[in-house]
Amino acid sequence: MKRPLSHWGLLVALAVLWGSSFALTRIAVAELTPAMVVAGRNMVAALGLLVLVLLMGRAWPRGRRVWGFMLSIAVIGNMAPFLLISWGQQRIDSGLAGILMAVMPLVTLVLAHFLVAGEKLTRERLLGFSIGFVGILALIGPAAIRELGGHGETLMAQLAVLLAACCYAVNAIVSRHKPSSDAWSTSALVLGMAWLLTLPLAVTPYLGEVSPGLSLSAGALWAVLVLGIICTALGSVVFFTLVAAAGPTFLSLINYLIPLWAVVIGILFLGERPEWNHLLALVLILVGVAISQRR
């Protein structure tokens, strides 16, 4: 059985949507706390999707079971990892965070073997995902690898990002088992739940290391708006569509493609030049993806 081209299109689209969020988040957290950024992007996304759902007349999810799944997804797939990553990246470099996040596909691969029908752990998948992980190490470089470990706040920050990666892996499994529901209305409700859950932290007078004022610069405001409308709202719809159609193991490849997109952004828009390790990483990741998806 061949993987439909639509699955690959959705995967690349999601990598672009989610991969673009890191640069925008860096702009926003310069003036807002992590909780405020998370709450802000979820609020914009939820309200925007709610308007679209009403205009398009999409069906609302029904039944306690599907609502229970949506609440779990709001916590495990949105609120918890967003806050963990934002907190962790205040204390460790983005390269080290990228290595830690890259364990998500491997964790998903193991969980899916036991919890998702038709997602058995094969030698091809294990080999392909392992090659992809090596590609991430080559992309980020040995300097970030040497920073693994440590103690005190540095170690806690690494564990926070690692826990966020595990949250994303569990969320992919949970989303696969969610009863069938419309991706647009489901996304609106999940993001609305995540917004309400994060709101108490966002309105706390002081959280983290940034003390925001009452006014925002135009750059920070636009960053939150684009994060909400494009990266979060549209990304959530693509996520639910893809995980239902292709499964969590295929979806987890996103964590190998997002760092590549970050490098592409630097080359196209920031005038950066590709290094030898970037090209090596590109080859390793694409070879790993090809082997893992071989039928």
Side-chain angles (χ1 to χ4, degrees):
M1 168 183 162
K2 281 188 175 182
R3 178 74 62 182
L5 186 61
S6 60
H7 291 183
W8 292 104
L10 289 171
L11 185 70
V12 172
L14 194 58
V16 171
L17 292 171
W18 283 358
S20 302
S21 67
F22 294 100
L24 294 167
T25 300
R26 280 198 295 269
I27 297 173
V29 295
E31 302 180 34
L32 294 168
T33 66
M36 285 181 174
V37 175
V38 174
R41 66 187 291 185
N42 283 335
M43 179 189 70
V44 171
L47 294 178
L49 282 175
L50 179 61
V51 172
L52 287 177
V53 168
L54 293 175
L55 290 176
M56 294 188 296
R58 313 291 294 201
W60 294 102
R62 294 184 178 181
R64 292 183 178 179
R65 188 164 181 264
V66 68
W67 278 80
F69 269 90
M70 289 192 299
L71 179 59
S72 300
I73 293 169
V75 175
I76 301 171
N78 186 296
M79 175 188 173
F82 278 14
L83 290 174
L84 287 167
I85 292 171
S86 298
W87 183 84
Q89 284 201 277
Q90 288 180 326
R91 294 159 177 81
I92 61 176
D93 292 336
S94 58
L96 181 55
I99 292 177
L100 296 168
M101 287 301 299
V103 306
M104 180 266 190
L106 298 174
V107 175
T108 305
L109 188 65
V110 175
L111 291 177
H113 174 75
F114 296 102
L115 300 175
V116 180
E119 296 277 345
K120 294 299 181 183
L121 178 61
T122 63
R123 285 180 298 180
E124 288 81 6
R125 283 182 173 175
L126 183 58
L127 176 61
F129 277 57
S130 299
I131 293 175
F133 183 76
V134 174
I136 293 296
L137 298 182
L139 178 68
I140 296 172
I145 300 174
R146 287 193 294 268
E147 294 179 13
L148 284 170
H151 58 277
E153 273 201 351
T154 301
L155 179 59
M156 293 301 297
Q158 294 179 31
L159 292 176
V161 176
L162 189 61
L163 180 58
C166 293
C167 284
Y168 281 134
V170 172
N171 182 62
I173 304 298
V174 172
S175 299
R176 176 65 170 183
H177 286 292
K178 178 186 67 64
S180 179
S181 60
D182 179 74
W184 291 85
S185 58
T186 299
S187 298
L189 292 171
V190 166
L191 294 171
M193 292 176 183
W195 167 42
L196 294 176
L197 289 169
T198 314
L199 191 58
L201 297 175
V203 298
T204 301
Y206 182 81
L207 180 65
E209 298 178 359
V210 181
S211 183
L214 296 177
S215 61
L216 287 178
S217 68
L221 180 60
W222 276 109
V224 173
L225 290 175
V226 175
L227 272 171
I229 296 172
I230 304 299
C231 302
T232 308
L234 185 56
S236 180
V237 173
V238 175
F239 166 79
F240 282 116
T241 303
L242 182 59
V243 75
T249 302
F250 181 75
L251 169 74
S252 68
L253 293 171
I254 193 77
N255 271 39
Y256 292 157
L257 300 182
I258 285 176
L260 284 180
W261 174 243
V263 172
V264 171
I265 289 178
I267 295 172
L268 294 179
F269 301 107
L270 301 178
E272 297 177 357
R273 294 184 177 181
E275 304 290 342
W276 68 268
N277 60 306
H278 296 159
L279 301 177
L280 175 61
L282 174 64
V283 172
L284 288 172
I285 291 173
L286 293 181
V287 168
V289 169
I291 292 176
S292 70
Q293 297 302 307
R294 187 175 62 182
R295 291 294 186 268

